[in-house]
Amino acid sequence: MKFCESVFIISVFIQLVSTELSSYNFPENFVFGVATAAYQIEGAFNEDGKTDSIWDYNLHKKPDWVIDQGNGDVACDSYHKWEEDIQLIANLGVDFYRFSIAWTRIFPSGYAGSKINDAGVIYYNKLIDGLLAKGITPMVTIYHWDLPQNLQRNGGWMNETIVDNYVFYARTLFELYGDRVKHWITFNEPFQICESGYSETDLAPFLNDSGVGGYICAHNLLISHGRAYREYERTFKQNQGGKVAITAHSFWFEPQGESDSDRAAAERAMQFWYGWFMHPVIKGNYPPIMIERIDEISQKEGFQKSRLPKFTEGQIEMIRGSFDFIGVNHYTTALASISNNFNEPSFYFDGGVNRTEDSNWVKSSTSTWLNKVPWGLRKLLNWIKQEYNNPPVLITENGWSSSTGLEDSRRVSYLNEYLSELLKAIHEDECNVIGYTHWSLLDNFEWLKGYTARFGLVEVDFNNPDRTRTPRKSYGVYQKIISSRKIN
Ligand code: GBH
C-alpha cells in the first residue's frame, strides 16, 4: 500500500470514530460572547442599598427549595471581583459580555419614580466602563428573573401595574447607560419566568397556579417588552443608535416517530414553547394553534373566558415587530409525541405534547434535562428561518453542565459539535445567525440546582472565601476558536 493510500485510510478511520467537525470559517462580522446573570454571580445581596428580590426572599425563607440549600448571597462575589471577571473575559478574546442588571440595586422599592440607589448605578457604570476600556462590548439583560420582592407583594408579573414599573426601570437604564450600552435584552426566557415561576414550582416565586398564572404573567411581560421597545425607539434610538431584543429559551422538538401525530406534536411544541413569545413579537399575537386550543379547552373546563388573555388590536400592533434581532437560548433537544395525560388545567394539557428523550444521547451528569444533540441546533435555526422569515438571530446562551474539575472534555466536545452545526446552518442553509454566546463565563448559582451543576468555562471554588477562579480546558478551546475563527 502506498503511503498516501494508507494516510487516506487512516483519515477515513479517524473520521468514523470521531465526529467530523465543520471546517468552515466564522463569517467576518460574526461575534462571540459569554454570558452571566446578576443573581447567579454577584452576591452582595444586601449591600449598598440593594433590597431583596424574589430569589433572596424565597430562598431565605425556605432554603430547601435548592438541592444543596445554596443561594445567591455571595455566589461568585462578582459585586467585588468584577475587575477579575473583566480580565478573564478579555483574555478569552470575546467581542461582547452579556450580563444582567439587578433591578433591586437600581430601584430598591421597584416602583416607577421611586428613589434611585446611586451605589447600584455606580457598580454597573464601573463594570461597563471597565469592559469598554478593554474593548469588550457590553450587552445588558434588563431582567434575568430577580424581580423586586416588593413588587411581588402585589402579584408581580400577574398584576398589570407591573408594566409601568418595568417600563420605567428599563427607561432609566437606557438613560443611565445607553450612551455606552448599545445592545439590550428586555427579558431572559419568558417561559421560565412565567410558566416555571407562576404556574409551577421550578423557579421563584414558586406560585404553582397551573394553567392560569403563567399565561397572565406572559401577557403582562409581552406588553412590558413591547412598551419598553417602543420607548427606546421613540426616545433613545436616534441619539444612542442601539438595538433592543428579547430572548426566549427553545428546545428543538424532534418528532418521536414518523407518524403525522408525532410531527404535529413537535410543531405544536415549538409553537407552545418558543412561539408563545416570539410569534407575538415577530408576527403579532399568540400562535393561532395556542389561541384555538386554549380557548376551546378553557371552555370545556367551564372557565367563563379563555385562560389565555386577549391582546387588543392596539397592543398587537405595538408588540408586532418589537425587535432589532431575536435572541435564542438553546441547550438541548427533546422528542415530541401526542399526549393528553396531564393534570387540568395546565400548559401541558393545553399543549398536549409528551416530551421524551433518546437514551443514546450523551447526558449531562449534573443537569438531567440536558443532552448533547448538536444537530438539534441546526434544525432549530432552520425552523426559525422558515417560520419567521430569516430574522437576525443571536444565540444568547448555549452551554454544558459538568461537575467540578478542569478537564471538562464533555464541554469541549459539546462546544465543538454545536458550533460545527452552527457553521453548517450559516454556510449551507443560509440562516441569519449573527453571533454566539456561551453560557457561562463562570460556574455560578444554578437556581434550584444550587452549586451542584457547573456551567463555567472558568471554575469557581465556592469553598474558598476568595471564590478563586481557574480557567478550564474549554476556556482555552473557546479562546482558540475565537482567535482562529474556526473549530480546531
Ligand atoms: C438558562 O435556562 C438560564 O437563562 C440561565 O440562567 C441558566 O443558568 C442556564 O440556562 C442553565 O440552566 O422541563 O424539568 O426538564 C435554561 C432553561 C432550564 C429550560 C431547564 C429547560 C428543563 C426543566 N432551561 N429546563 S424540565
Side-chain angles (χ1 to χ4, degrees), residues 40 144 188-189 192 249 331 355 369 397 439 446-447:
Q40 295 179 273
H144 198 125
N188 180 70
E189 298 187 350
Q192 279 61 36
H249 167 265
Y331 289 84
R355 221 183 87 201
W369 53 276
E397 286 179 27
W439 181 274
E446 176 57 13
W447 311 110

Side-chain angles (χ1 to χ4, degrees), residues 215-232:
Y215 294 133
I216 298 174
C217 163
H219 203 69
N220 291 324
L221 184 153
L222 282 161
I223 294 168
S224 302
H225 161 79
R227 279 201 29 208
Y229 181 90
R230 298 302 167 203
E231 182 70 43
Y232 188 84

